Amino acid sequence: MALRSPQVKRLGRIALFAAIYTYALILFGGIVRITGSGMGCGDHWPKCNGVWIPEFTLETLIEYTHRALAAGIGLVVLAVVVYALANRGRPGIGGKGGLLRPILLGAVLVVVQALLGAVTVKLEIPPGVVVVHFMTALLFASTLLVAAVRAGTLGGGTAAANASGANPRRAWRMAFVTLLFGFVLITLGAMTANVAGAPQACQGFPLCNNSLAPPPGSGGPAHIHFTHRMVAYLFTLHILMASLAARRRAVSVATKRAAAVALIAVIVQICVAAIMVLSHLPPHWQSLHLATGAAIWFALVVWAALARRDLQAEEAGSGDRAGLAELDPALAKG
């Protein structure tokens, strides 16, 4: 295993901490939506009801706490960016494959996320902006997870040697396609959660109102919910096959484990969704549905990042073997 500098290890640990922090922030944002506290600070931003410390009702307290947590992640990212820039000349931080690029991209997304938060409040929570706000939070978390994988904090420091039957290029492509599929599914889930009437539009499970499809004239909310369900069923079949294939094609044990975790999270999510719908959408099951959905995204990102690392390690090894072959064919075979 390649030695990692203390600076890389430190950045990796901070990136992982920030990713976990962001996960908690995403869940708290869901609580804001589920409890109807999005306008708890009125249409004021960054102040709350026109002041920095307002009088607190329950809705105001929930929204104010969410904003305070969001400010906290901004400070963490600022510290990480400063530290990464100060050490950009060290191996593993600057350059291609280093930590600096995902960290800087994450910093840009934090700024975008803050602006989207302001727009959400000023426009009084339009569903489209809320969905973009949520998906941007997931993308920001992705940059932190990628940095943690590159630092070796997630999945160990290096990929394992290629094993019999492994195909790192196909494993990477499969993980990337699964990640894109998951992004589409979660976007549809966010639309279902935020478009008025969509959560209640399809009662029953697995059918929608005891039919295979919404009847004609059901309206947009029903079709959004129905599309989300159909994509979820297809995604379940896809990830089942992809995770099984990862056991044969992936190089490292860490990549195989990430694929298995993603599959388990999807199975749990199906159970949660069924209970949530059959129980008529109680708030605590809505919160758990969000928590599991975000966990699926985190697992998919780690899976794809580890598969990419496996591929890069294999390509580097192939290059080394090619160089040895030019010097001495016997060395290359050894």
Side-chain angles (χ1 to χ4, degrees):
M1 180 179 294
L3 294 177
R4 293 172 289 141
S5 68
Q7 291 79 12
V8 169
K9 293 179 180 179
R10 190 172 294 115
L11 277 174
R13 288 193 293 265
I14 297 174
L16 181 58
F17 165 77
I20 296 172
Y21 188 128
T22 304
Y23 180 80
L25 182 58
I26 289 170
L27 299 191
F28 206 90
I31 292 173
V32 172
R33 173 182 59 80
I34 293 167
T35 60
S37 303
M39 297 304 294
C41 286
D43 60 356
H44 298 92
W45 192 93
K47 293 182 178 182
C48 182
N49 292 326
V51 295
W52 291 111
I53 302 179
E55 294 183 6
F56 290 109
T57 63
L58 179 59
E59 291 78 10
T60 301
L61 179 61
I62 293 173
E63 171 63 8
Y64 190 84
T65 303
H66 177 59
R67 293 191 185 188
L69 291 172
I73 194 65
L75 294 176
V76 171
V77 171
L78 177 61
V80 170
V81 169
V82 171
Y83 188 81
L85 288 173
N87 292 277
R88 62 185 179 277
R90 296 181 181 275
I93 296 181
K96 184 178 180 180
L99 277 64
L100 183 60
R101 291 184 180 182
I103 287 173
L104 290 179
L105 177 58
V108 172
L109 289 174
V110 163
V111 175
V112 172
Q113 183 74 338
L115 295 175
L116 286 171
V119 172
T120 301
V121 171
K122 293 295 184 182
L123 298 182
E124 299 186 1
I125 321 179
V129 179
V130 174
V131 171
V132 175
H133 186 58
F134 173 71
M135 300 309 296
T136 304
L138 293 183
L139 292 175
F140 164 64
S142 302
T143 65
L144 300 170
L145 293 170
V146 169
V149 168
R150 290 185 177 185
T153 307
L154 280 173
T158 58
N162 201 344
S164 175
N167 189 326
R169 185 168 296 279
R170 292 189 68 180
W172 151 243
R173 289 174 179 170
M174 179 174 56
F176 185 69
V177 169
T178 305
L179 181 66
L180 292 179
F181 201 163
F183 187 84
V184 173
L185 172 61
I186 294 174
T187 301
L188 287 169
M191 292 173 63
T192 302
N194 286 282
V195 172
Q200 301 82 12
C202 278
Q203 296 297 311
F205 187 91
L207 299 178
C208 178
N209 300 324
N210 296 320
S211 64
L212 292 176
S218 297
H223 288 285
I224 291 173
H225 190 145
F226 176 75
T227 302
H228 173 56
R229 286 198 187 189
M230 293 301 102
V231 174
Y233 298 150
L234 292 174
F235 181 76
T236 301
L237 294 175
H238 170 83
I239 198 170
L240 175 62
M241 298 175 63
S243 60
L244 292 175
R247 294 180 62 85
R248 301 189 304 270
R249 296 173 181 168
V251 174
S252 65
V253 174
T255 306
K256 297 175 183 179
R257 287 176 177 171
V261 169
L263 174 61
I264 292 170
V266 169
I267 294 173
V268 171
Q269 182 72 321
I270 292 172
C271 297
V272 170
I275 295 172
M276 179 183 70
V277 172
L278 295 174
S279 303
H280 304 292
L281 310 174
H284 57 283
W285 282 105
Q286 292 186 54
S287 299
L288 186 57
H289 188 59
L290 170 63
T292 311
I296 290 172
W297 176 253
F298 276 48
L300 293 177
V301 171
V302 173
W303 176 7
L306 288 170
R308 179 64 176 171
R309 189 193 65 178
D310 290 348
L311 174 60
Q312 291 172 334
E314 176 67 17
E315 290 174 343
S318 298
D320 292 341
R321 289 191 294 271
L324 285 174
E326 294 179 0
L327 296 173
D328 188 338
L331 287 175
K333 292 179 181 179

